[in-house]
Amino acid sequence: GKSTLLNVMAGILPHTQDAEVWGQICHAGEPVTASPPARRSRWMGMLTQDPAAGLCMQMVRDELALSLELREWDPADIGARVTDIAATTGITPLLDRRVGDLSGGEQQRVALAAALAGRPQLLLLDEPLSMLDPRSAVAVSRIIARAASDGLALIVVEHRIDDLRRSGLVVDTELNLGSGPPPAARPVPESHPGRIVLNAHLEGVRRSSDGPTVVPDLELCLHAGTITALVGPNGSGKTTVLRALAGLPPDPVAGSGKVGLVFQRASDQFLTTSVEAEVSYRADRHSGRAMLTRLGLADLEPRNPHTLSLGQQRRVALIAAAAQGHQIIGLDEPTLGLDSSASGDVSDLLVDLRDQGRAIVMSTHDQELASRLADNIIDLSPHDGVPTTSRPGPLRRVAPDCPLGRCSPSLKLAIALVTSLALLATTAIVPIAAIALIVLCLVPLLCHVRPAHVSRLYLPALGFALGVIVINSVTRTGTPLISEPVTVTVQGLEMGLGLAARTLAIGAIAVAFVLSTGGPQFVASLEQQAHIPIRYCFGLLAGYRLLETLGQEWDTIRDAQQVRSRGAGRLARGRIVLVSVFCLFVVALRRGQQLSDALELRGLGSGRRTFWHRLRYTRRDLVLVVVSAALSLLTVLACQILP
């Protein structure tokens, strides 16, 4: 109930999520239980358990500024504060990066900086070190200790409390919500390595087919009855190596058919609607149920695995993989989010699996776990001693840096809508086709993109236009143009060509808008220049963030379920696609709720918002209006003259 207690303090429960709550929470002697999260944002900040869930903007710099804008800071002071908090938390090199391009550890630090930016009186921290390697954990611990020494009140949920203490944090009150002290770790019996079950040479392993090399060269020899630990800083390639061993692209290892894999986000792997069915899926049912009892989860058998806590989900996913009987089991951070008792249970289960003759490969930041359990420890730290975080790709801007990209997004949207509505009033082929051709020729110049990129984006419009021509040609009555094998009429062909030209013109305008407009820039323009209410604007912004993450989520879900269903028949594979879609739907709902909560915690709805960068209409906008009006007028005149 640790995270639940923090959510009540923050106001997420019961104001944005259903819950039965009794009692009182007071701030400065006043009860605040009845107030929503936005009301508390003036004096409270929060770092949630999943840092990615608390990040609302696309760019790191804007993420830090958002906390200040929603607290109505003077725009003249926002830039200096963003620079200052970035330097304090050590994320200055990340300021011009996209949030979605960061590693988990980097996202953790950005989320902490955003929570500290507004200088809150109280900071709630839900496992701030959970996703960090030891070196990063030390750095973040020092930031937290420094904040406490500066007078900030902290309430911290953390299993690695000793790391915080070593950084100088003085814990005034320690509250254990469990039933007693954690049990002592069981002595690990000596292992008895057996035959070689996998001998792999990994060379030039990458996260994606077009990405940089993460692990240049690695020899991996796995024996039955052993545990191998992969350690190293965030972004050093531990997860990438596990994916390769499990046979997942882009660099699958031969012999991966006998490898099972438990992903870091366990819920991505669930294929059924109950815990009992989950541990029995293509597995030994009795073995799965026995392991549930062993880990104290037997009473959860009827529950849907998606409704469990993160720690419970992790243990169920491990049991499901073990029950499938894989000779080799890969585990991505098996104790992430687990307390000492649950970590001890997982450790004991791993030792039992090892003693059954399984080969265990796990990636972990838990040095104590690695040193206690592992027969072999492989350090993936870079040889030059420089910490490896996410490799920065090319800088991607909020707004495309091009002539059309510097125009007001609200004005571009208005012009696109008015022009499209005008085009709907006519089917004159020649003038409308001319408009489409002119816009398509101008897009590469005005948006600074290659024609090939424009063509790819334009393909749906071309396909739709072709369908319109075919359908109208063969379905409308009139003078036959072709009689065999189907009847094509002159009137149908003319109508089809007119509607297709209209489709192509509207599609060209839409492509120009998309290529010249960034999401955050568009939302800011709607709020500042079109005066759309702030809640609708941030709802749209949350949609941009959601779309940005769902592609990655879909790839992970498909990969996870591919590993679990390896060797299944064609019918089973079809069912897996449906289950994957359902899982993505669940993830989308959860992400949407998390983004909504994050915006509330930042202060959305507490009052007006100030803007660090005020958008104003410029001469470029006037030129755009004049040129668009001239083209529209010429089109109208041409429609009167030409057919």
Side-chain angles (χ1 to χ4, degrees), residues 354-376:
R354 180 202 70 179
D355 293 343
Q356 293 173 14
R358 313 279 190 100
I360 309 294
V361 188
M362 63 178 182
S363 72
T364 183
H365 290 143
D366 189 337
Q367 292 181 314
E368 189 275 332
L369 178 74
S371 60
R372 188 164 59 87
L373 295 187
D375 300 284
N376 305 297

Side-chain angles (χ1 to χ4, degrees), residues 181-268:
R186 190 181 76 174
V188 179
E190 184 179 353
S191 65
H192 300 284
R195 62 186 179 87
I196 295 176
V197 292
L198 185 66
N199 197 347
H201 174 65
L202 286 79
E203 184 176 359
V205 181
R206 300 157 297 169
R207 291 191 181 94
S208 59
S209 57
D210 57 349
T213 297
V214 179
V215 181
D217 189 73
L218 180 65
E219 290 284 349
L220 198 60
C221 184
L222 301 180
H223 290 258
T226 61
I227 297 177
T228 300
L230 304 176
V231 301
N234 293 104
S236 58
K238 302 183 294 297
T239 298
T240 306
V241 169
L242 289 178
R243 286 174 53 85
L245 292 177
L248 294 173
D251 298 300
V253 170
S256 57
K258 52 190 173 184
V259 181
L261 179 60
V262 180
F263 282 59
Q264 195 172 111
R265 184 176 284 110
S267 59
D268 290 340

Side-chain angles (χ1 to χ4, degrees), residues 374-396:
D375 300 284
N376 305 297
I377 297 178
I378 299 176
D379 191 351
L380 297 181
S381 301
H383 298 300
D384 56 10
V386 178
T388 306
T389 57
S390 63
R391 276 99 173 144
L395 183 63
R396 291 191 272 176

Side-chain angles (χ1 to χ4, degrees), residues 38 131 226 249 251 287 309 313 317 321 396 456 469 513 537 577 586 595 639:
M131 302 186 70
T226 61
D251 298 300
S287 173
S309 71
Q313 288 180 343
R396 291 191 272 176
R456 285 194 298 270
I469 294 173
F513 178 80
C537 292
V577 173
V586 172
L595 282 169
C639 289

Side-chain angles (χ1 to χ4, degrees), residues 287-454:
S287 173
R289 297 189 70 179
M291 284 186 279
L292 283 176
T293 302
R294 166 76 182 278
L295 294 187
L297 302 176
D299 59 331
L300 301 179
E301 285 187 351
R303 293 270 301 275
N304 189 308
H306 286 284
T307 66
L308 305 181
S309 71
L310 294 179
Q312 291 169 335
Q313 288 180 343
R314 186 168 298 280
R315 283 174 280 174
V316 169
L318 169 58
I319 293 171
Q324 284 192 306
H326 297 291
Q327 180 66 53
I328 304 168
I329 301 177
L331 304 166
D332 197 355
E333 299 286 354
T335 58
L336 179 66
L338 302 185
D339 58 26
S340 300
S341 178
S343 294
D345 290 340
V346 168
S347 299
D348 293 345
L349 178 59
L350 293 181
V351 172
D352 287 349
L353 293 172
R354 180 202 70 179
D355 293 343
Q356 293 173 14
R358 313 279 190 100
I360 309 294
V361 188
M362 63 178 182
S363 72
T364 183
H365 290 143
D366 189 337
Q367 292 181 314
E368 189 275 332
L369 178 74
S371 60
R372 188 164 59 87
L373 295 187
D375 300 284
N376 305 297
I377 297 178
I378 299 176
D379 191 351
L380 297 181
S381 301
H383 298 300
D384 56 10
V386 178
T388 306
T389 57
S390 63
R391 276 99 173 144
L395 183 63
R396 291 191 272 176
R397 302 178 182 274
V398 176
D401 187 18
C402 60
L404 199 55
R406 301 187 192 106
C407 295
S408 164
S410 297
L411 183 64
K412 286 186 292 187
L413 179 63
I415 291 173
L417 290 176
V418 170
T419 306
S420 298
L421 289 173
L423 289 171
L424 290 176
T426 180
T427 56
I429 300 172
V430 176
I432 299 179
I435 285 288
L437 186 61
I438 290 171
V439 173
L440 284 177
C441 291
L442 289 176
V443 165
L445 298 174
L446 296 179
C447 297
H448 289 177
V449 292
R450 295 178 179 177
H453 184 48
V454 178

